[in-house]
Amino acid sequence: MIVVLEKGVSLKDKASIVRLIEQHGGRLLVSELGDTTHIGLVDTVAQALADRIRVMPGVAAIRSEAPPYPQVSREYRETRSLVDVRDVAVGGSEVVVMAGPCSVESATQIATVAEAVADAGARILRGGAFKPRTSPYSFQGLGEEGLYLLAAARDQTGLPVVTEVVATEDVALVATHADMLQIGARNMQNFRLLSEVGAQPKPVLLKRGISSSIEEVLLAAEYVASAGNTHVILCERGIRTFETATRNTFDVSAVPVLKRETHLPVIVDPSHAAGDRELVPALAAAGVAAGADGVLVEVHNDPDSALSDGPQSLTLPGFTEMMGTLKAVADAVGRRIR
Amino acid sequence: MIVVLEKGVSLKDKASIVRLIEQHGGRLLVSELGDTTHIGLVDTVAQALADRIRVMPGVAAIRSEAPPYPQVSREYRETRSLVDVRDVAVGGSEVVVMAGPCSVESATQIATVAEAVADAGARILRGGAFKPRTSPYSFQGLGEEGLYLLAAARDQTGLPVVTEVVATEDVALVATHADMLQIGARNMQNFRLLSEVGAQPKPVLLKRGISSSIEEVLLAAEYVASAGNTHVILCERGIRTFETATRNTFDVSAVPVLKRETHLPVIVDPSHAAGDRELVPALAAAGVAAGADGVLVEVHNDPDSALSDGPQSLTLPGFTEMMGTLKAVADAVGRRIR
Amino acid sequence: MIVVLEKGVSLKDKASIVRLIEQHGGRLLVSELGDTTHIGLVDTVAQALADRIRVMPGVAAIRSEAPPYPQVSREYRETRSLVDVRDVAVGGSEVVVMAGPCSVESATQIATVAEAVADAGARILRGGAFKPRTSPYSFQGLGEEGLYLLAAARDQTGLPVVTEVVATEDVALVATHADMLQIGARNMQNFRLLSEVGAQPKPVLLKRGISSSIEEVLLAAEYVASAGNTHVILCERGIRTFETATRNTFDVSAVPVLKRETHLPVIVDPSHAAGDRELVPALAAAGVAAGADGVLVEVHNDPDSALSDGPQSLTLPGFTEMMGTLKAVADAVGRRIR
Amino acid sequence: MIVVLEKGVSLKDKASIVRLIEQHGGRLLVSELGDTTHIGLVDTVAQALADRIRVMPGVAAIRSEAPPYPQVSREYRETRSLVDVRDVAVGGSEVVVMAGPCSVESATQIATVAEAVADAGARILRGGAFKPRTSPYSFQGLGEEGLYLLAAARDQTGLPVVTEVVATEDVALVATHADMLQIGARNMQNFRLLSEVGAQPKPVLLKRGISSSIEEVLLAAEYVASAGNTHVILCERGIRTFETATRNTFDVSAVPVLKRETHLPVIVDPSHAAGDRELVPALAAAGVAAGADGVLVEVHNDPDSALSDGPQSLTLPGFTEMMGTLKAVADAVGRRIR
């Protein structure tokens, strides 16, 4: 349900409506579209308030059937959005493969991997510079130096780069060097961070939380959009269930469900879902067959020596082989991989 | 872990070993392969007994790394098994599409659907004759008459038929008319029924339980195999998780994981996973891309009038359109659909 | 939502309404209360049909807010139901403890345990006679002999007995000897079996399925009630989640939620939830504190030699010690244990 | 499994061992106990490396059975730890009730609630000053002013105060005013924040993440302890499962399981688990009966006007009534509430 407010509604009236909903335990999200304010009500409990809200000052209309994430919904924009990551458009007929190591480890490593994945058809380079690690003796990521190495690899290969940002204080720095900012699964509901990446101009890759519903993913995207940045790409990467045979359960249905709900591009990350490189090509192919607009995979020149996520990283030959299959699958569903 | 017993071991010695394991809370499964008995230990707790078991009378060897489902494991048979459903081989290079209505409703209906799906490339006809329904006023399925209608549709189209059996007392009857017996998700751990279908000669289509782990699926298959019938096809059809956007969460990873573990064919049922016909083609394509040996889908000539599962049944044109995509995806992964 | 039909509505009109709902994918449950038929609609999707149903022949009223399980709901009967198990009333001020071994193993074993648990305050004796086992070399339960031994233990101690029934063909036999019939978690949605126990006069102990929602538990109870038997006791025994530290996750909230929804008694089974005897007293106490009308626990005179479920069975001294705590907790919440 | 390093081991040797484990996909946690370093290996996969690690420079011993969280484990400290929150000891024979509003809203509100809960037997005052909110028009919490109001309420009532800290930059400020710092469920694996609260001297209330396993809770606690602060209280507050009848599934088994594993105090938060004030007293009683060392509940003088979490907040009379029951239940299990 959406409450549409009158243009020029006072801040006080807005706040009164928000308070009423929250006092009754409803969750909501406020979106400004042009000069109109929309309040999306998340809980069905809140819908019980419709009659009271309808007569409050400042309310223009109530749209019962509307999803609570107006800007990112298909209802708001029927046609699919293209998100440009530098010169690569995500969300069009091309299925965009984003590949690279879990962590940037050295100039040689990132250059080697970048060249190899570019040759095999990857269009965007991924690599971690800031890593949240559990031990002071663990490899911490190269931090700012990692960003420089990513930028150098971009210059060398022409591949735009995406890298994760884990803290609000790092957003400006990462946005200076990277072409797209990644919000990791653990931060999908870190509202301060969503706000911060929503206030800078680079596109955002938003990964689904490990126990987040599809509705929550869309609300998080709306949150970024509300902060001013509608260049958001969603990413399915596995959810936590009772099944332990894989690291997470890859919810491939999320792809067609999300694409029915939102105009934003939707990609898949089979590496984190599987946790096992042997399974990655099958899951990547499943994602493309299901309609994904892109694939994000971990690739390493020497996975057995990788400083993180070795077991789920593809080898260079493994990546090249997978790309052959993905190209054929993309063709089969009327898409293409360059 | 597997305990291999000596040939000619006495019933008493077998029982002593089983008792010891069960008294310590271990779960197990006994398989007879040729003239050798294998006891598969399911729980890690049971592995703590290895040293005590090793010295018991009748024990030939303990294989710590072996999975507890010896007959269905890849270790036992490296090459993939072909399961013949009348003249259709499942598990080879062909991806076998099994299609038809949720319920057999009338001679006209099943004939119409059978002709249409055969024309579009389906190789096996599915249809329910015995339905477990929650209301005495619900359509109960045509029962034995449904079996005759399925058989008539087979004669007309040449498609072998698969239908569900829900009770031990119906096994002989269903096995007389059908070419493959389906065990539904709710009965995956109905050991009496598994035993009964394991003792008749027709192949068995075993669907994963809604909250069954992959290990439990393999143990259920081993149970059928232990009863004498190794012609088993496994089917992923969605698991219950926190996500409610789809009827169940389609665990597409189960396809490559199962195919790594077992030599048995593995198919997918996107209809029950999605619960929504709009999502079925994407999930079916995902399953084929992930390596499924077949696809089981619900198709109806008039879904809006179907007596059960209408919303998730494809229309005839919808099925034909999906088959075009599936053929292309099968080709893309080195398989084929006729 | 409930559709109330006119008295004397024709079978044809009933069937038309049922068909309409099912064709649209709605699930439903038909209850006969006195001479009035109520159709409970389970899915919200079915609620979209309200306007069409309202004008169909035979429809007296539509009650939008009513739960789909009329007979077992609090709305139908405000006051709590007492279920008499022979001379023991469950659902009143007394918290009824039901204890005994997983399996009846011998005359001596069941007599010893029955005497001990009676002395410690148990009011009903539990024990398995028919066991669903996964191996032909496993202890199969004593079957009919087990029923005689249970009856003998009842004569000796005065404790009524409850035992599981796993197949429709055994219902009449079990109902002859037992004072209450247990439906196990795996059979909670075995509609044939629910129907069969609903058609005999002994009370029914209905255990929640491992992945069943609370609504599904209530629908299963309504199913038994619809078949004519309203003497049903519900039992929470753990659900399957991502957490593996316990065998299942004991959903203690189910106790107050169920008691708010239904007038039927609600008990807990901490043994199967925990899978570990050390945890059983804490969970039993939690269940009583949360308002459970009874506790079902496994107790064995020699758990380390038990033929099944040894690790989760309390010892006799352990049971006695737990009873002391449970009595105090029952007092603390205004209940009592004799 | 724990790898114990030699005293005086070089940083280089430590790093080599850490790298080896991480390159093989193992997760680990490093704890310094006195002058000895312990590396806890989380994954069983890492255990396969035991033989290689054993012979590496700097390794003193490998303890296969040891849990990977040495400092917080019962093995390290057999007796239960007391955590002093100002003058209130948590973890002893007293069951400590912590109560107060979700958010501090005004001087009058917090003073009113603080007086009332103190009178009814609460020993610690809770109240949110920094709130992570999803809308700019939502009540944001009073921030620093909220901390002053909490401190004033403490001066007035003598109750120590606990309040949540949501960002590293706020830790010092919150630690100045509060007597205990709360880490919310969403931040349970925010390692920077864990590190920061581990480096200040006030006790820490660590809430279980909504999809965190019990092992992950203990690892998070070890993380805080490794940073130097062992004054940690754990809190069960519900996990996400398929069941939607409650906001979350209250995993009461976590109480006895955690108390078997760790010497740290364990409390429960029934308000967030239930999401519904009607259910709170039953769940609180269940938690105390299961052995919880404390209860954290939301209480408001006017829940229907509360600016957040109104529906799950107890009224003042509701709190007083619940306290009567909790005192009796605490007595029943050999504990006490003042």
Side-chain angles (χ1 to χ4, degrees):
Chain A
M1 189 172 104
I2 292 273
V3 181
V4 184
L5 302 190
E6 290 167 355
K7 290 174 193 188
V9 61
S10 71
L11 190 60
K12 183 163 164 294
D13 286 346
K14 280 189 202 184
S16 298
I17 298 164
V18 167
R19 295 276 164 94
L20 177 74
I21 296 164
E22 295 190 334
Q23 281 170 1
H24 289 79
R27 286 179 303 140
L28 55 80
L29 196 96
V30 179
S31 296
E32 311 281 353
L33 280 83
D35 54 359
T36 308
T37 301
H38 291 65
I39 302 178
L41 278 70
V42 177
D43 294 291
T44 48
V45 61
Q47 306 213 1
L49 300 171
D51 288 343
R52 285 178 65 181
I53 295 170
R54 204 183 308 274
V55 298
M56 291 180 80
V59 173
I62 287 193
R63 297 176 37 231
S64 305
E65 301 300 313
Y69 31 79
Q71 293 187 75
V72 307
S73 76
R74 287 291 294 280
E75 191 192 53
Y76 175 69
R77 185 196 301 257
E78 183 76 29
T79 57
R80 306 220 64 82
S81 287
L82 286 182
V83 172
D84 290 322
V85 184
R86 194 164 271 237
D87 59 338
V88 176
V90 182
S93 65
E94 184 181 354
V95 175
V96 174
V97 177
M98 311 177 186
C102 176
S103 301
V104 180
E105 298 171 11
S106 69
T108 310
Q109 175 242 20
I110 191 67
T112 306
V113 175
E115 286 286 358
V117 299
D119 285 353
R123 298 275 283 145
I124 294 178
L125 177 66
R126 60 148 292 157
F130 291 93
K131 307 298 299 177
R133 302 312 297 274
T134 59
S135 151
Y137 309 106
S138 295
F139 176 61
Q140 302 291 314
L142 297 178
E144 190 166 354
E145 189 198 337
L147 298 177
Y148 289 114
L149 296 182
L150 280 170
R154 174 183 56 214
D155 295 344
Q156 180 191 340
T157 60
L159 300 183
V161 301
V162 56
T163 196
E164 185 171 351
V165 57
V166 298
T168 50
E169 59 266 32
D170 301 338
V171 168
L173 176 67
V174 175
T176 305
H177 298 289
D179 302 299
M180 178 159 60
L181 278 61
Q182 178 178 314
I183 299 294
R186 283 188 188 155
N187 282 316
M188 196 202 82
Q189 295 191 314
N190 181 334
F191 297 116
R192 284 201 194 179
L193 190 55
L194 294 181
S195 216
E196 205 72 22
V197 298
Q200 57 78 49
K202 294 285 177 73
V204 175
L205 175 55
L206 179 65
K207 298 185 89 171
R208 180 181 187 180
I210 201 172
S211 63
S212 298
S213 68
I214 285 176
E215 184 183 49
E216 289 168 344
V217 175
L218 290 163
L219 289 165
E222 181 76 20
Y223 200 85
V224 177
S226 296
N229 187 344
T230 56
H231 307 299
V232 180
I233 298 173
L234 307 177
C235 181
E236 159 64 28
R237 45 76 73 217
I239 57 174
R240 183 168 273 193
T241 72
F242 67 81
E243 179 58 69
T244 56
T246 42
R247 184 164 164 179
N248 295 287
T249 296
F250 181 53
D251 182 13
V252 74
S253 309
V255 175
V257 171
L258 282 169
K259 294 194 75 168
R260 183 161 67 179
E261 289 294 314
T262 182
H263 52 85
L264 298 175
V266 179
I267 70 167
V268 295
D269 169 358
S271 304
H272 284 86
D276 174 346
R277 84 172 63 97
E278 271 188 51
L279 303 174
V280 168
L283 301 194
V288 172
D293 298 306
V295 177
L296 180 73
V297 279
E298 291 187 348
V299 181
H300 199 281
N301 52 327
D302 182 8
D304 292 341
S305 305
L307 297 181
S308 54
D309 277 354
Q312 74 193 31
S313 295
L314 292 171
T315 59
L316 301 182
F319 177 71
T320 303
E321 188 185 340
M322 181 184 79
M323 286 299 284
T325 304
L326 293 190
K327 284 175 189 178
V329 174
D331 285 343
V333 295
R335 308 288 290 270
R336 74 199 151 76
I337 290 179
R338 286 220 282 214
Chain B
M1 189 172 102
I2 293 274
V3 181
V4 185
L5 302 190
E6 291 169 355
K7 290 176 193 185
V9 61
S10 70
L11 190 60
K12 182 161 164 296
D13 284 347
K14 280 188 201 183
S16 297
I17 298 164
V18 167
R19 294 278 164 93
L20 177 74
I21 296 164
E22 295 189 335
Q23 281 170 2
H24 288 79
R27 287 180 302 140
L28 55 80
L29 196 96
V30 178
S31 297
E32 310 281 353
L33 280 83
D35 53 358
T36 308
T37 301
H38 292 64
I39 302 178
L41 277 71
V42 176
D43 294 291
T44 47
V45 60
Q47 305 213 2
L49 299 170
D51 288 341
R52 283 178 64 182
I53 293 171
R54 203 184 308 274
V55 297
M56 291 180 79
V59 173
I62 287 192
R63 296 173 40 229
S64 306
E65 300 301 313
Y69 31 80
Q71 292 187 74
V72 308
S73 75
R74 287 291 294 280
E75 191 192 54
Y76 176 69
R77 186 196 300 259
E78 184 75 28
T79 58
R80 307 219 63 82
S81 288
L82 285 182
V83 173
D84 290 322
V85 184
R86 196 165 268 237
D87 59 338
V88 177
V90 182
S93 64
E94 184 180 353
V95 174
V96 174
V97 177
M98 312 177 185
C102 176
S103 301
V104 180
E105 296 172 10
S106 70
T108 309
Q109 175 241 20
I110 190 68
T112 306
V113 176
E115 286 286 357
V117 300
D119 284 353
R123 298 274 284 145
I124 294 178
L125 177 65
R126 61 148 292 156
F130 291 93
K131 307 298 298 178
R133 302 312 296 274
T134 59
S135 151
Y137 309 104
S138 294
F139 176 61
Q140 302 292 312
L142 297 179
E144 190 166 354
E145 189 197 337
L147 298 177
Y148 289 114
L149 296 182
L150 280 170
R154 173 182 57 214
D155 294 345
Q156 181 191 338
T157 58
L159 299 183
V161 301
V162 56
T163 197
E164 184 172 352
V165 56
V166 298
T168 50
E169 59 266 32
D170 301 338
V171 169
L173 176 67
V174 175
T176 305
H177 298 288
D179 301 300
M180 178 158 60
L181 278 62
Q182 178 178 316
I183 299 294
R186 283 187 189 157
N187 282 315
M188 197 203 80
Q189 294 191 313
N190 181 335
F191 297 116
R192 284 201 194 180
L193 190 55
L194 294 181
S195 215
E196 206 71 23
V197 300
Q200 56 78 49
K202 294 286 177 71
V204 175
L205 176 56
L206 178 66
K207 298 186 89 172
R208 182 182 186 179
I210 202 173
S211 64
S212 298
S213 68
I214 286 177
E215 184 184 48
E216 289 168 344
V217 175
L218 290 164
L219 289 165
E222 181 78 19
Y223 200 85
V224 176
S226 296
N229 187 345
T230 56
H231 307 299
V232 180
I233 297 172
L234 307 177
C235 181
E236 160 62 29
R237 45 77 71 217
I239 57 174
R240 183 167 273 193
T241 71
F242 67 81
E243 179 58 68
T244 56
T246 43
R247 183 164 165 179
N248 295 287
T249 296
F250 181 53
D251 182 12
V252 74
S253 309
V255 175
V257 172
L258 282 170
K259 294 194 75 169
R260 183 161 68 180
E261 288 294 315
T262 182
H263 52 85
L264 298 175
V266 179
I267 70 167
V268 294
D269 170 359
S271 304
H272 284 86
D276 175 345
R277 84 172 64 96
E278 270 188 53
L279 302 175
V280 168
L283 302 194
V288 173
D293 298 305
V295 177
L296 180 73
V297 277
E298 291 187 348
V299 180
H300 199 281
N301 51 327
D302 182 8
D304 292 342
S305 305
L307 297 180
S308 53
D309 276 356
Q312 74 194 32
S313 296
L314 292 172
T315 60
L316 299 182
F319 177 71
T320 302
E321 188 184 341
M322 180 184 79
M323 286 299 284
T325 305
L326 293 191
K327 283 174 190 178
V329 174
D331 285 343
V333 295
R335 308 288 290 269
R336 73 197 153 78
I337 290 179
R338 284 220 281 214
Chain C
M1 189 172 105
I2 292 274
V3 180
V4 184
L5 302 190
E6 290 168 356
K7 290 174 193 188
V9 61
S10 71
L11 189 61
K12 183 163 164 294
D13 284 345
K14 280 188 201 183
S16 297
I17 298 164
V18 167
R19 294 279 165 94
L20 177 74
I21 297 163
E22 295 190 334
Q23 281 171 2
H24 289 79
R27 286 180 302 139
L28 54 81
L29 196 95
V30 179
S31 296
E32 311 280 354
L33 279 82
D35 53 358
T36 308
T37 301
H38 292 64
I39 301 178
L41 278 71
V42 176
D43 295 291
T44 47
V45 61
Q47 304 212 3
L49 300 171
D51 288 341
R52 284 177 65 180
I53 294 171
R54 203 183 308 275
V55 297
M56 289 179 82
V59 173
I62 286 192
R63 297 173 40 230
S64 306
E65 300 301 313
Y69 32 79
Q71 292 187 74
V72 307
S73 76
R74 287 290 294 280
E75 192 191 55
Y76 176 69
R77 186 195 300 260
E78 184 76 28
T79 57
R80 307 220 62 82
S81 288
L82 286 182
V83 173
D84 290 322
V85 184
R86 197 163 268 236
D87 59 339
V88 177
V90 182
S93 65
E94 183 181 354
V95 175
V96 175
V97 177
M98 312 177 187
C102 175
S103 301
V104 180
E105 296 172 11
S106 70
T108 310
Q109 175 241 21
I110 190 68
T112 306
V113 176
E115 286 287 357
V117 299
D119 285 353
R123 298 275 283 146
I124 294 178
L125 178 65
R126 60 148 292 156
F130 292 93
K131 307 298 298 177
R133 302 311 296 273
T134 60
S135 150
Y137 308 104
S138 294
F139 177 61
Q140 302 292 312
L142 296 179
E144 190 166 353
E145 190 197 336
L147 298 177
Y148 289 114
L149 296 182
L150 280 169
R154 173 182 58 214
D155 294 345
Q156 182 191 339
T157 58
L159 299 182
V161 301
V162 56
T163 197
E164 184 171 353
V165 57
V166 298
T168 50
E169 60 265 33
D170 301 337
V171 169
L173 176 68
V174 175
T176 305
H177 297 288
D179 301 300
M180 178 157 60
L181 278 62
Q182 177 179 316
I183 299 293
R186 282 187 188 157
N187 283 314
M188 197 203 82
Q189 294 192 314
N190 182 335
F191 298 115
R192 283 200 195 181
L193 190 56
L194 294 181
S195 215
E196 206 71 22
V197 299
Q200 57 78 47
K202 296 286 177 71
V204 175
L205 175 56
L206 179 66
K207 299 186 87 171
R208 180 182 188 181
I210 201 174
S211 63
S212 298
S213 68
I214 286 176
E215 184 183 49
E216 289 169 344
V217 175
L218 290 163
L219 289 165
E222 181 77 19
Y223 200 86
V224 177
S226 296
N229 187 345
T230 56
H231 307 299
V232 180
I233 297 172
L234 306 178
C235 181
E236 160 62 28
R237 44 78 71 217
I239 57 174
R240 182 167 274 194
T241 71
F242 67 80
E243 179 58 70
T244 56
T246 43
R247 183 164 163 179
N248 295 288
T249 296
F250 181 53
D251 182 13
V252 74
S253 310
V255 176
V257 172
L258 282 169
K259 295 194 76 169
R260 182 161 68 179
E261 288 293 316
T262 183
H263 52 85
L264 299 175
V266 179
I267 70 168
V268 293
D269 169 358
S271 303
H272 284 87
D276 175 346
R277 85 172 61 98
E278 271 189 51
L279 303 174
V280 168
L283 302 194
V288 173
D293 297 306
V295 177
L296 179 73
V297 277
E298 291 187 349
V299 181
H300 198 282
N301 51 329
D302 183 8
D304 291 343
S305 305
L307 298 180
S308 54
D309 277 355
Q312 74 194 30
S313 295
L314 292 172
T315 61
L316 300 181
F319 178 71
T320 302
E321 188 185 340
M322 181 185 79
M323 286 299 285
T325 304
L326 293 191
K327 283 174 191 178
V329 174
D331 284 343
V333 294
R335 308 289 289 270
R336 73 197 152 79
I337 290 178
R338 286 219 280 214
Chain D
M1 189 171 104
I2 293 274
V3 181
V4 184
L5 303 188
E6 290 168 356
K7 290 175 192 187
V9 61
S10 71
L11 189 61
K12 182 164 165 291
D13 285 345
K14 280 189 201 182
S16 297
I17 298 164
V18 166
R19 295 278 164 94
L20 176 74
I21 296 164
E22 295 189 334
Q23 282 171 1
H24 289 79
R27 286 181 301 139
L28 55 79
L29 196 94
V30 178
S31 296
E32 312 280 353
L33 279 83
D35 53 358
T36 308
T37 301
H38 291 64
I39 301 178
L41 277 72
V42 176
D43 295 291
T44 47
V45 62
Q47 304 213 1
L49 299 171
D51 289 341
R52 284 178 65 181
I53 295 170
R54 203 184 309 275
V55 297
M56 290 179 81
V59 174
I62 286 192
R63 296 173 40 229
S64 306
E65 301 302 313
Y69 30 80
Q71 292 186 75
V72 307
S73 76
R74 288 290 294 280
E75 191 191 54
Y76 175 68
R77 185 196 302 258
E78 183 76 27
T79 58
R80 307 221 63 82
S81 287
L82 286 182
V83 173
D84 290 322
V85 184
R86 197 164 269 236
D87 59 339
V88 177
V90 182
S93 64
E94 184 182 353
V95 174
V96 174
V97 177
M98 313 178 185
C102 175
S103 300
V104 180
E105 297 171 10
S106 69
T108 310
Q109 174 240 22
I110 190 67
T112 307
V113 176
E115 286 287 357
V117 300
D119 285 353
R123 299 274 282 144
I124 294 177
L125 177 66
R126 60 147 292 153
F130 291 93
K131 307 297 298 177
R133 301 312 297 273
T134 59
S135 150
Y137 308 104
S138 295
F139 177 62
Q140 302 292 313
L142 297 179
E144 190 165 354
E145 190 198 336
L147 298 176
Y148 289 114
L149 296 181
L150 280 169
R154 173 183 57 215
D155 294 345
Q156 181 191 338
T157 59
L159 300 183
V161 301
V162 57
T163 196
E164 184 172 354
V165 58
V166 298
T168 50
E169 59 266 33
D170 301 337
V171 169
L173 176 68
V174 175
T176 306
H177 299 286
D179 302 300
M180 178 158 60
L181 278 62
Q182 177 178 316
I183 299 293
R186 283 189 188 155
N187 283 315
M188 198 202 80
Q189 295 192 313
N190 182 335
F191 298 115
R192 284 201 194 179
L193 190 55
L194 294 181
S195 215
E196 206 71 23
V197 298
Q200 56 78 49
K202 294 285 177 72
V204 175
L205 176 56
L206 178 66
K207 298 187 87 171
R208 181 182 187 180
I210 202 175
S211 64
S212 297
S213 68
I214 286 176
E215 184 184 47
E216 288 168 344
V217 176
L218 291 163
L219 289 165
E222 180 78 19
Y223 200 87
V224 177
S226 297
N229 187 345
T230 57
H231 307 298
V232 180
I233 298 173
L234 307 177
C235 180
E236 161 61 30
R237 44 79 70 218
I239 57 175
R240 183 167 273 193
T241 71
F242 67 81
E243 178 58 70
T244 56
T246 42
R247 183 165 163 178
N248 295 287
T249 296
F250 181 52
D251 182 13
V252 74
S253 310
V255 176
V257 171
L258 282 170
K259 295 193 76 169
R260 182 161 67 179
E261 288 294 316
T262 182
H263 52 85
L264 299 175
V266 179
I267 71 167
V268 293
D269 169 357
S271 304
H272 284 86
D276 175 346
R277 84 172 62 96
E278 272 188 51
L279 302 175
V280 167
L283 301 194
V288 173
D293 297 306
V295 177
L296 180 74
V297 277
E298 292 187 349
V299 181
H300 198 281
N301 52 328
D302 182 8
D304 292 342
S305 306
L307 296 180
S308 53
D309 277 354
Q312 73 193 32
S313 295
L314 293 172
T315 61
L316 300 181
F319 178 70
T320 303
E321 187 185 341
M322 182 185 78
M323 286 300 284
T325 304
L326 293 190
K327 283 174 190 178
V329 173
D331 285 342
V333 295
R335 309 287 289 271
R336 73 197 153 79
I337 289 178
R338 286 219 281 212

